[in-house]
Amino acid sequence: MFAMRLNSPHTPLEPVDLPDPEPGPGEIRVRIGACGVCRTDLHVVDGDLTHPALPIIPGHEIVGRIDRLGENVTSLHIGQRVGIPWLGHTCGHCYYCTHEEENLCDHPIFTGYTRNGGYATMTVADARYAFPLGEKGEDTDLAPLLCAGLIGWRALSKAGDGRNIGLYGFGAAAHIIAQVLRWQERHFYAFTRPGDTRTQDFARSLGAVWAGGSDELPPEPLDATMIFAPVGPLVPAALRAVRKGGRVVCAGIHMSEIPAFSYDDLWEEREIVSVANLTRQDGLDFLHLAPEIGIRTQTTRYALKDANQALDDLRHGRFEGAAVLVP
């Protein structure tokens, strides 16, 4: 198989030809049709996530078809299209796994971080953590749902049922969850880099009732905000944007340092919560609803061999929506 492999942080991915992987018991081998480029991949490559299983093939927004079954796999079949997300395995016996919080497992394995992922023509995955996708939609359109969509969905569940929701960082995750909010007949407010009128216009095209810079306050206090950009100073900014009793949800796996802020910004029962990974039930719920919602992902396609360019374009915000690698 052909793959783009990270040998050490802060270095470009290396193109390599490797033997086709063989699935072990309970695993499947998947021939990849598309793999989304997630900001978490960038955190792995840039060394923000400090313990990758090097050398590692990044990528965890994988769509492909099963071409080999390992022993004891009975719930899936050869030729079936599946999606493989960030959470690739859990222990099944720690406190969190036994209390319906497998996203907090003490001994997890993460696709594209501690096991090889989807910047390749083929990969191996735990069959329990592969979501059947059906035949509706293109591989490239579905790939961003496997993380940007799923983490946005979990963040929304933490945000609560308020009517007015702010989205800080209007990229892959926000442009998907914005469509969910509109389907739910809620209002969303988009916060971008100051002066980024192009992305603000993109947010308005998806139904934002207001779009402006992250240094601005919305026209009215919000019920909740979700922060997708990995920028710590957005936390106090988002607190100032929510009403009394409002909630700020930090949806990224990594964020720069949060600066000190006045207790007045937190007072009156405002809350800050974080989102970590997702459960299989999150995946099943969201991927079941996505066709009904009619989510359309805006994607920029790159050849697999151009993964380094895709990561750099993501780093510098050169596209709207999501980037997807195609073998």
Side-chain angles (χ1 to χ4, degrees), residues 7-327:
N7 294 317
S8 61
H10 309 292
T11 62
L13 303 182
E14 174 194 18
V16 292
D17 288 304
L18 300 170
D20 291 345
E22 292 297 328
E27 294 182 333
I28 55 174
R29 187 171 73 185
V30 175
R31 189 171 299 278
I32 297 170
C35 183
V37 179
C38 180
R39 186 163 292 276
T40 302
D41 302 336
L42 202 57
H43 292 318
V44 173
V45 171
D46 289 350
D48 298 322
L49 299 182
T50 55
H51 300 290
L54 297 173
I56 191 72
I57 299 168
H60 57 274
E61 295 180 331
I62 304 168
V63 177
R65 293 190 181 273
I66 299 170
D67 88 336
R68 184 164 297 186
L69 302 175
E71 294 180 14
N72 306 320
V73 176
T74 59
S75 59
L76 301 170
H77 58 81
I78 291 175
Q80 187 171 9
R81 187 165 67 161
V82 294
I84 301 169
W86 168 251
L87 186 61
H89 176 87
T90 56
C91 71
H93 55 73
C94 70
Y95 172 86
Y96 301 100
C97 285
T98 57
H99 286 76
E100 299 183 352
E101 295 178 302
E102 65 181 0
N103 59 307
L104 302 177
C105 174
D106 285 332
H107 307 286
I109 296 175
F110 297 116
T111 310
Y113 181 51
T114 54
R115 75 179 300 164
N116 282 331
Y119 287 19
T121 54
M122 196 171 288
T123 195
V124 165
D126 186 328
R128 300 173 303 157
Y129 290 83
F131 297 120
L133 294 178
E135 296 300 323
K136 186 176 180 180
E138 298 293 327
D139 292 353
T140 50
D141 296 333
L142 295 174
L145 302 183
L146 270 298
C147 185
L150 290 176
I151 208 68
W153 178 255
R154 187 166 183 85
L156 184 58
S157 72
K158 294 288 187 181
D161 58 1
R163 182 170 178 79
N164 297 317
I165 308 295
L167 306 176
Y168 283 81
F170 205 83
H175 98 286
I176 292 171
I177 209 64
Q179 296 174 65
V180 177
L181 287 166
R182 189 175 61 184
W183 178 75
Q184 293 177 337
E185 299 183 344
R186 296 203 254 181
H187 297 158
F188 73 90
Y189 299 67
F191 297 81
T192 72
R193 292 184 181 93
D196 187 356
T197 57
R198 185 186 69 173
T199 302
Q200 291 165 20
D201 289 342
F202 177 48
R204 292 188 192 98
S205 75
L206 291 176
V209 299
W210 178 90
S214 59
D215 58 345
E216 300 178 57
L217 286 173
E220 60 183 314
L222 305 176
D223 298 310
T225 60
M226 294 184 281
I227 301 176
F228 296 108
V231 181
L234 291 178
V235 173
L239 281 171
R240 291 190 287 271
V242 298
R243 61 167 173 78
K244 292 181 284 188
R247 181 175 293 179
V248 173
V249 181
C250 301
I253 194 171
H254 170 81
M255 181 177 279
S256 62
E257 185 172 347
I258 299 171
F261 56 88
S262 169
Y263 178 66
D264 290 344
D265 294 336
L266 183 63
W267 192 56
E268 296 176 315
E269 300 194 354
R270 293 173 178 87
E271 298 179 306
I272 304 170
V273 299
S274 67
V275 170
N277 315 314
L278 62 128
T279 66
R280 281 173 286 179
Q281 193 60 51
D282 292 328
L284 293 171
D285 292 344
F286 176 69
L287 293 170
H288 174 73
L289 266 180
E292 180 180 346
I293 296 170
I295 291 173
R296 294 182 179 274
T297 54
Q298 177 149 329
T299 60
T300 300
R301 300 186 184 194
Y302 296 80
L304 175 58
K305 64 181 179 62
D306 295 327
N308 287 308
Q309 184 63 57
L311 288 165
D312 194 59
D313 288 350
L314 173 60
R315 185 183 288 112
H316 293 98
R318 296 187 183 117
F319 55 79
E320 295 168 350
V324 179
L325 301 179
V326 182

